[in-house]
Amino acid sequence: MTERLIGIALLTMTIHAAETLSYAVRMAGIRKGRLAIALSLTGMIVLVSRTSNIAQGTMTGKIVDFAKRHAEFDLAGGFRLIIGGASIGTLIAIALFPTFTQLSARMIDHLEKAGSVPGMVRNLIRAEAIRHSVRHIRRPRLAMVRRFRQGRLPLRLMTLNAIVTGVYTVGVLAALYASALPGPYSIGISQSSGLINGLATILLTVLIDPQVALMTDRALRKEAALASVNQLFGALMLSRLCGTLFAQALFLPAAYWVQWVVPYL
């Protein structure tokens, strides 16, 4: 079971790294003036990560079944390991942001030339393209942190994004853990992750995405500097990292909330 836990933690790490790196695709689209193409690529990344999140729930459900048969198994500790994978994945994505922004610009060019995603993939996996991609590797530098600290940080937006990320991170895990707690409606509780993730998606769509879209549109119209957009994405990535850490504190309260609310639905 330890191997399964590690595998799920690695999958969670990959999911959160991919979602965080979607900011790099947007940034590349703004720099090249091809935001529509960038948003198409971003949508594919998010779609794959959300689908992987469903697979994560299925794999984690088997751990819950194991914990019900083996009382000595530390289910909460295992789930905290999975949440830790989300924090590590987000941190890796922050470190890879400069490199992935450069690579995303190449992806946009290839998609524009090929005219389709399969054509873009064929061009990207050519040996020559892979060798050329090494030139786009960028090391994270302290200058990134200094530029980030310059100017006014969008604290309200960062707080909202951290809360939404925390809720999204524990959605599936809290529901599954609640189903393992003593009490009725274990099957109904295990299916309630959509309730938590749905709330997080609504908050993301209503409160966060419009502000990011407004800043992006201003940058495309040359009404805002690219540095301000870069700082915005830096703030969003940092708040995502804080959100995954907040998820550790939110995990158990969310599980008991799910156990309490499901009987009234």
Side-chain angles (χ1 to χ4, degrees):
M1 195 53 60
T2 301
E3 293 80 2
R4 177 175 289 273
L5 269 173
I6 294 174
I8 296 173
L10 291 174
L11 176 61
T12 303
M13 180 183 73
T14 305
I15 290 171
H16 281 262
E19 292 195 357
T20 305
L21 286 173
S22 66
Y23 295 136
V25 182
R26 289 192 186 188
M27 189 67 206
I30 295 171
R31 289 180 178 178
K32 297 188 71 67
R34 292 170 174 81
L35 185 60
I37 299 176
L39 290 178
S40 176
L41 292 173
T42 300
M44 287 187 289
I45 293 173
V46 173
L47 177 62
V48 171
S49 65
R50 297 289 165 86
T51 304
S52 300
N53 200 45
I54 297 174
Q56 177 211 44
T58 304
M59 295 168 63
T60 310
K62 294 182 179 180
I63 295 178
V64 176
D65 292 335
F66 178 85
K68 288 180 178 179
R69 297 192 302 268
H70 301 81
E72 73 280 1
F73 182 74
D74 184 9
L75 184 61
F79 279 8
R80 292 194 182 279
L81 174 66
I82 296 173
I83 297 173
S87 300
I88 295 173
T90 305
L91 192 60
I92 291 173
I94 293 174
L96 291 177
F97 183 79
T99 296
F100 204 78
T101 301
Q102 297 292 325
L103 293 176
S104 297
R106 291 192 64 222
M107 291 171 60
I108 291 171
D109 288 336
H110 281 292
L111 180 57
E112 188 174 24
K113 292 177 182 177
S116 66
V117 173
M120 177 194 71
V121 173
R122 283 196 302 269
N123 289 335
L124 289 174
I125 61 176
R126 289 183 296 113
E128 181 182 352
I130 295 175
R131 286 196 302 269
H132 185 69
S133 64
V134 178
R135 303 177 186 175
H136 297 280
I137 295 177
R138 299 290 186 275
R139 291 185 303 172
R141 298 178 180 177
L142 290 177
M144 293 171 53
V145 180
R146 288 195 293 267
R147 287 196 300 267
F148 176 71
R149 294 177 61 183
Q150 294 174 354
R152 183 180 177 184
L153 295 177
L155 296 180
R156 182 169 175 267
L157 180 64
M158 293 176 68
T159 302
L160 287 172
N161 195 43
I163 293 173
V164 170
T165 301
V167 172
Y168 173 74
T169 302
V170 301
V172 174
L173 299 177
L176 290 173
Y177 185 79
S179 69
L181 295 174
Y185 309 109
S186 60
I187 296 178
I189 289 173
S190 67
Q191 299 300 311
S192 63
S193 60
L195 183 66
I196 302 176
N197 285 351
L199 176 62
T201 303
I202 291 172
L203 291 173
L204 178 68
T205 304
V206 174
L207 300 177
I208 298 174
D209 278 353
Q211 297 188 49
V212 177
L214 286 171
M215 177 60 75
T216 301
D217 194 55
R218 288 181 58 198
L220 288 174
R221 296 199 307 264
K222 310 299 182 183
E223 296 176 4
L226 283 177
S228 63
V229 182
N230 207 22
Q231 185 183 49
L232 174 64
F233 287 145
L236 290 174
M237 289 189 293
L238 178 61
S239 60
R240 278 186 64 92
L241 178 61
C242 293
T244 61
L245 298 175
F246 170 60
Q248 295 282 2
L250 186 63
F251 168 55
L252 287 180
Y256 285 106
W257 177 80
V258 169
Q259 186 191 38
W260 171 78
V261 78
V262 165
Y264 295 98
L265 296 178

